[in-house]
Amino acid sequence: MRSVALSSNESLANLLKEERRFAPPAALAAAANVTADAYAAAKADRLGFWAEQARRLSWAKEPTETLDWSNPPFAKWFADGELNVAYNCVDRHVEAGLGDRVAIHFEGEPGDSRAITYAELKDEVSKAANALLELGVAKGDRVAIYLPMVPEAVVAMLACARIGAPHSVVFGGFSADAVASRVQDADAKLVITADGGYRRGKPSALKPAIDEALTQCPQVEHVLVVRRTGQETAWTEGRDVWWHEITERQSAEHAPEAHAAEHPLFILYTSGTTGKPKGILHTTGGYLTQASYTHNAVFDLKPETDVFWCTADIGWVTGHSYIVYGPLSNGATQVMYEGTPDTPHQGRFWEIVQKYGVTILYTAPTAIRTFMKWGDDIPAKFDLSSLRVLGSVGEPINPEAWVWYREHIGGGRTPIVDTWWQTETGAMMISPLPGVTETKPGSAQVPLPGISATVVDDEANEVPNGSGGYLVLTEPWPSMLRTIWGDDQRYLDTYWSRFEGRYFAGDGAKKDDDGDIWLLGRVDDVMLVSGHNISTTEVESALVSHPKVAEAAVVGATDSTTGQAIVAFVILRGTAQDSDELTAELRDHVGHVLGPIAKPKRILTVSELPKTRSGKIMRRLLRDVAENRAVGDVTTLADSTVMDLIQSKLPSAP
Ligand code: ATP
Ligand code: MG
């Protein structure tokens, strides 16, 4: 990892001044699940606070221990407790008389839909668990899941959890090679896939990637295949098994076994924005405690009346914690959507919100900026009045995008929770609470109750308010990763070696004058211009605050006079035209918002930006372009042709 050294008296950045404030709606605050006293209670007795949250779950054996930190940084939470995650997510709701409640409103891309109640989900999960057992999967065996966004993905994950077979979900858009390396690293015994899924209006095959990947993975004994599209599918006799055929003939009874709290629940490879993916290991009791607590607290979930919708893919940690484990452990009703936001039209998301009366929406800045680019008139055609809380995750959200989201989606009334967390943290860590926090556009603001985070300088000293540095987590938390699968040393090196005794998240951050935290992007992306550390996020937000700019990506390119020079790639809004005048106007605008030091040296207008499949801007590739180098590894890009397009825009490098 490239690490930027901060000279002792230089802050990482502290340029942006955002003065807008939004108080929580009075009615929401009055009935909020979590109130301000939670912070004080958790501060007074952090472990007691988490022990209390663990009691949200049904334990087969109640834990008497909370945290075992005797061998840091290898944590054990609730170690003598035992529970079954699938029981907590499904059976206990049915036993409580909620079997008829809809767990999942599934909306397929072609327009097919299915409502699945908790009682039905219980039967499906039990049958799938029995099917896995019949195929020889035992407790502790790893199962790889490579599925589109269909209910069987949820069922498959819960079936694995039920029998104690850790799952490794691989995003359905990854290539055969990416799948093979993940299946091998986890040493999976069985793979669950589908013939295909619907993507941009047509069936898109999935199984060929598995067939190709498995030529490199001889240990895989069976492939379970969900029939989704009905397309022609190659078949390996003896190895391949249709999901519907085997599950159909299973019993809907399966007694959930209690697993130890530290039994592995899943491995998830990080999305690969920065380099070789890491197999992040999460375990059972602590993970479910924090996924469940944060989903209830941060969205103020009222399971009797809310309709929750998280638009992430199940292949990312957001899909794990806020489609599967958080919402289902809380008995929520949620929407699950298979396809893309512009199929068959650019109002598809808003049509879904209107159709199901979605009350809580959780999506990513990349999607919000895209909706801004498509125009205000599109959401305006739909009734979005059911929405009451909006969430954001995945990247820093530019203040202008935040305000647009609140105005055009939230009708100017909904709180926005900007939630900072990572695959490694398992669940949300820093976020406003919708009934408590006066929100600031662009800031994740405060560590959640029971979470300890701060910002430090190069020497690990906490920075004063008004300064920037590195985001660190200072105390262990229940849903923390336990290690990198099979590589304890890499776990130590990556997260625990930079600052003694503290978890280094890899992100830059600043504390404002109130002590609220602002995320400034990855430390690897920070620019050093004439001795000043400048955050890519802040320059991008300044560009996006210009009415003609929809989206911006900024990198530092080596420069003989200033060390690094700021190079900006911008996508213009609607009808705006590229010209020398506009470029000059944008440079001046950034100078005006942030100060002359932050003015980009070059601005290039482009039609697309390189993004990972999870929708994050991949700045290292743009740095390659800006420095006139061969472009690095593009295998995790959603669309690798984007780089050719961008390079063709470049007349000559500096
Ligand atoms: P890799 O670690 O493989 O490079 P990744 O970091 O993109 O991939 P994730 O774990 O999905 O994989 O993403 C976590 C990162 O996303 C955080 O470290 C941070 O950089 C960014 N992020 C997530 N939520 C927010 C947020 N609300 N504000 C700012 N940044 C965020
Ligand atoms: Mg990361």
Side-chain angles (χ1 to χ4, degrees), residues 10 48 51 86 156 163 185 208 211 258 262 268 294 303 437 505 536 552 568 592 600 640:
E10 268 320 326
I163 65 171
D185 189 79
D211 290 332
E262 284 297 336
L268 181 60
T294 52
T437 318
T536 50
H592 180 71
S640 55

Side-chain angles (χ1 to χ4, degrees), residues 221-249:
E221 292 170 10
H222 289 289
V223 179
L224 253 178
V225 188
V226 173
R227 188 152 72 195
R228 167 63 184 144
T229 58
Q231 65 201 112
E232 191 84 41
T233 301
W235 205 253
T236 303
E237 279 311 323
R239 186 195 70 178
D240 299 351
V241 180
W242 282 112
W243 170 277
H244 61 273
E245 282 179 4
I246 191 165
T247 55
E248 230 161 53
R249 58 179 163 78

Side-chain angles (χ1 to χ4, degrees), residues 136-153:
V137 179
K139 178 169 177 173
D141 288 342
R142 272 82 58 204
V143 173
I145 297 178
Y146 183 72
L147 283 172
M149 283 288 287
V150 291
E152 285 80 0

Side-chain angles (χ1 to χ4, degrees), residues 330-397:
N330 288 330
T333 294
Q334 67 177 322
V335 171
M336 179 178 194
Y337 173 56
E338 177 182 32
T340 51
D342 54 352
T343 307
H345 58 80
Q346 294 179 334
R348 186 70 190 269
F349 269 29
W350 319 123
E351 189 177 73
I352 292 173
V353 168
Q354 177 178 289
K355 174 173 175 186
Y356 295 104
V358 172
T359 58
I360 305 168
L361 178 69
Y362 193 30
T363 193
T366 182
I368 298 164
R369 292 188 302 253
T370 304
F371 300 138
M372 285 172 76
K373 191 166 60 184
W374 288 345
D376 308 350
D377 54 317
I378 294 171
K381 289 185 203 133
F382 299 89
D383 178 6
L384 307 180
S385 61
S386 55
L387 290 168
R388 63 180 201 95
V389 179
L390 301 178
S392 172
V393 62
E395 286 180 293
I397 179 164

Side-chain angles (χ1 to χ4, degrees), residues 270-274 278 422-424 495 505 507 522 616:
T270 54
S271 51
T273 309
T274 44
K278 303 172 275 279
Q422 311 176 295
T423 307
E424 293 88 338
Y495 305 109
D507 286 344
R522 293 158 197 283
K616 301 181 193 203

Side-chain angles (χ1 to χ4, degrees), residues 430-653:
I430 305 176
S431 169
L433 288 174
V436 179
T437 318
E438 185 183 57
T439 50
K440 301 175 177 178
S443 174
Q445 294 184 274
V446 268
L448 288 168
I451 299 300
S452 310
T454 192
V455 182
V456 298
D457 65 17
D458 256 327
E459 274 82 51
N461 302 308
E462 206 166 313
V463 303
N465 287 355
S467 303
Y470 307 96
L471 181 72
V472 293
L473 303 171
T474 53
E475 297 287 353
W477 62 100
S479 63
M480 66 192 282
L481 76 166
R482 298 304 193 257
T483 189
I484 292 176
W485 181 254
D487 201 345
D488 287 349
Q489 192 56 47
R490 193 170 174 210
Y491 170 62
L492 292 168
D493 294 346
T494 309
Y495 305 109
W496 298 94
S497 64
R498 180 70 179 80
F499 301 107
E500 172 90 47
R502 287 163 177 195
Y503 173 91
F504 172 47
D507 286 344
K510 72 178 181 193
K511 288 201 274 180
D512 67 16
D513 294 338
D514 304 323
D516 281 334
I517 295 174
W518 295 69
L519 277 303
L520 296 175
R522 293 158 197 283
V523 170
D524 304 38
D525 287 337
V526 168
M527 304 174 289
L528 190 63
V529 182
S530 304
H532 296 266
N533 284 112
I534 296 178
S535 121
T536 50
T537 300
E538 292 196 312
V539 179
E540 289 163 6
S541 289
L543 284 162
V544 173
S545 74
H546 188 282
K548 288 187 181 143
V549 176
E551 187 152 25
V554 161
V555 298
T558 308
D559 185 277
S560 49
T561 46
T562 55
Q564 280 190 318
I566 302 176
V567 179
F569 298 79
V570 299
I571 299 180
L572 299 178
R573 275 214 211 191
T575 53
Q577 288 293 318
D578 182 14
S579 67
D580 289 347
E581 290 73 46
L582 179 60
T583 307
E585 193 180 314
L586 294 180
R587 294 186 68 240
D588 287 346
H589 176 74
V590 174
H592 180 71
V593 175
L594 296 177
I597 183 80
K599 274 191 184 181
K601 182 167 183 186
R602 308 174 67 197
I603 297 183
L604 295 146
T605 58
V606 292
S607 54
E608 293 293 340
L609 290 169
K611 290 188 180 162
T612 61
R613 288 181 168 85
S614 54
K616 301 181 193 203
I617 298 169
M618 240 210 248
R619 291 182 193 74
R620 70 176 164 80
L621 299 179
L622 293 173
R623 211 153 45 220
D624 291 342
V625 171
E627 295 185 337
N628 211 18
R629 260 199 309 274
V631 170
D633 184 5
V634 295
T635 49
T636 56
L637 270 187
D639 175 2
S640 55
T641 63
V642 166
M643 288 315 296
D644 303 335
L645 258 173
I646 292 174
Q647 277 174 306
S648 70
K649 283 282 301 183
L650 258 159
S652 63

